[in-house]
Amino acid sequence: MMYALGAMVLVLALVTLLSAVEIVQAYEQRALTVLGSFRGLLDPGIHLIPPFVSRTYRFDRRVQTIDVPTQEAITRDNSPVTADAVVYIRVVDAERSFLNVENYRRATALLAQTSLRAVIGDMELDQTLSRRDEINRRIRTSLQGPTDEWGVEVEMVEVKEVLPTRGVLDAMEEQTSAERRRRAMILEAQGERRAAVETAEGERTANVLSAQGEKVASVLEAQGDAISTVLRARSAESMGERAIVDKGMETLASVGQGESTTFVIPQELTSLLGRYGQQLSGSDVQDSAGLDSLEFDDDDRELLGLDSVAEMLEPETDNGAEAAPEWESTYEGE
């Protein structure tokens, strides 16, 4: 009997000890109540509490995730969509989380659902599909006020997806296809127009070059005819002068055979002798340039236009070279 009573006392002491010792982990806090009265928060470590009449409530201080279920909403332009999100929260005041709200996780999840529907309903369909950052920011702003009263801080909100209904998706796909076809037709028309412009510019350039070539050929042909005519005239003049000189020399020879010692020589013959005397006899008659019938002086070259051929060709080449930038600017303007 005594052994049984001792065993019961030992068991009761062990149970009392276990009920009086509370171990709090490093990442949590616990709210303590004694006989239903709030007695404060227990920080990480070992704590002794009144046995059998105490109760603790655990609050995790780490970042927690709340998955917001898929919600159906109507956008401002009356397009039905479905959306879901993830909310990241952290308990910053365990006392308020214990005293001000029954279940802070459930309350935050329900508030996130209503905020998600409200934000989407205030935006158009295109905005809900392209402005995820704005949706996240607005949901977080709407959650921060109430959750502060619950001792909960909203770290981040992320919308996972926003999906229009099947009918809206089909209409969007048809719209996208039509837009792509329109762009393809525009690009094709622009390509044909540029090809036509290039063809016209090429034909114009070819016509200009052909006309310039014909012009230069005509000028060269005319100058060649003029030079040939002048050369023939010079040759005839030279042959006439040589004939006069030869005849004069024969006359001088016959005169020299006469008995008279006085000779009358025409001035023209004297001039001719002065021009050809040195070539014909090697005498010291005045130096002369001789017969230059194949050379042209400055007046003849200017009359025939011999020096203007290069000047005439160079501007044509420059004009042809300057045409390219003009065509390039035309294409760039397209």
Side-chain angles (χ1 to χ4, degrees):
M1 185 68 179
M2 293 294 295
Y3 289 110
L5 182 60
M8 292 179 60
V9 172
L10 181 61
V11 171
L12 180 61
L14 182 60
V15 171
T16 301
L17 180 62
L18 292 176
S19 177
V21 175
E22 188 75 19
I23 300 176
V24 182
Q25 301 296 329
Y27 52 83
E28 65 182 10
Q29 280 185 322
R30 297 192 181 185
L32 174 64
T33 60
V34 178
L35 296 176
S37 177
F38 177 71
R39 294 298 181 86
L41 299 174
L42 301 180
D43 293 326
I46 300 178
H47 300 270
L48 294 176
I49 61 175
F52 305 116
V53 294
S54 300
R55 186 176 180 182
T56 59
Y57 300 87
R58 176 177 175 271
F59 292 91
D60 197 328
R61 299 294 301 274
R62 295 172 296 184
V63 175
Q64 306 173 48
T65 59
I66 299 177
D67 190 5
V68 180
T70 301
Q71 302 295 307
E72 294 183 358
I74 304 296
T75 61
R76 189 168 59 185
D77 52 354
N78 298 322
S79 296
V81 297
T82 58
D84 58 356
V86 178
V87 181
Y88 299 86
I89 63 172
R90 184 169 62 89
V91 176
V92 294
D93 192 335
E95 181 177 351
R96 283 189 291 176
S97 299
F98 177 69
L99 297 177
N100 295 347
V101 63
E102 178 184 2
N103 187 332
Y104 68 90
R105 287 181 59 87
R106 183 171 181 272
T108 303
L110 294 176
L111 182 60
Q113 293 178 18
T114 58
S115 299
L116 177 61
R117 289 195 297 267
V119 170
I120 291 179
D122 195 37
M123 303 175 69
E124 295 183 356
L125 177 61
D126 293 340
Q127 295 175 340
T128 60
L129 298 177
S130 60
R131 299 184 181 180
R132 297 291 183 86
D133 293 339
E134 182 178 352
I135 296 176
N136 297 337
R137 179 184 57 79
R138 293 178 62 177
I139 294 176
R140 182 183 178 187
T141 301
S142 64
L143 292 177
Q144 282 179 343
T147 55
D148 286 344
E149 296 295 327
W150 304 337
V152 175
E153 180 182 359
V154 179
E155 296 284 342
M156 186 170 51
V157 178
E158 288 292 336
V159 175
K160 291 195 292 186
E161 61 180 1
V162 178
L163 293 177
T165 60
R166 184 71 260 173
V168 176
L169 286 176
D170 293 340
M172 293 174 62
E173 185 176 355
E174 292 179 0
Q175 181 182 1
T176 303
S177 300
E179 179 65 20
R180 289 177 179 174
R181 288 194 299 270
R182 184 183 68 84
R183 292 181 180 178
M185 294 175 63
I186 291 176
L187 292 176
E188 183 178 0
Q190 290 179 347
E192 292 178 354
R193 183 163 63 91
R194 291 185 179 180
V197 170
E198 282 192 23
T199 302
E201 292 289 350
E203 292 178 354
R204 184 174 72 89
T205 304
N207 294 333
V208 170
L209 294 177
S210 178
Q212 291 176 349
E214 293 177 358
K215 174 184 175 182
V216 172
S218 300
V219 171
L220 293 177
E221 183 178 0
Q223 289 184 342
D225 293 341
I227 293 172
S228 177
T229 302
V230 171
L231 290 177
R232 286 195 298 268
R234 290 287 183 87
S235 178
E237 179 184 356
S238 176
M239 292 178 64
E241 290 180 353
R242 290 181 182 275
I244 294 174
V245 170
D246 292 340
K247 189 65 176 177
M249 294 301 295
E250 293 177 358
T251 304
L252 289 176
S254 61
V255 170
Q257 294 176 0
E259 297 179 356
S260 175
T261 58
T262 302
F263 305 99
V264 179
I265 300 175
Q267 184 178 359
E268 291 78 2
L269 183 59
T270 305
S271 177
L272 291 176
L273 290 175
R275 294 174 59 183
Y276 299 105
Q278 186 175 1
Q279 284 85 357
L280 296 176
S281 61
S283 64
D284 58 352
V285 182
Q286 59 180 351
D287 295 336
S288 173
L291 181 59
D292 296 330
S293 59
L294 298 181
E295 298 181 1
F296 302 100
D297 55 16
D298 294 339
D299 295 337
D300 292 338
R301 296 182 67 87
E302 182 178 0
L303 177 62
L304 295 176
L306 297 178
D307 298 328
S308 63
V309 176
E311 297 177 358
M312 178 184 63
L313 294 177
E314 290 178 359
E316 301 296 339
T317 305
D318 295 340
N319 292 336
E322 293 176 356
E326 180 181 356
W327 305 332
E328 293 177 0
S329 62
T330 303
Y331 304 147
E332 292 175 356
E334 298 297 334

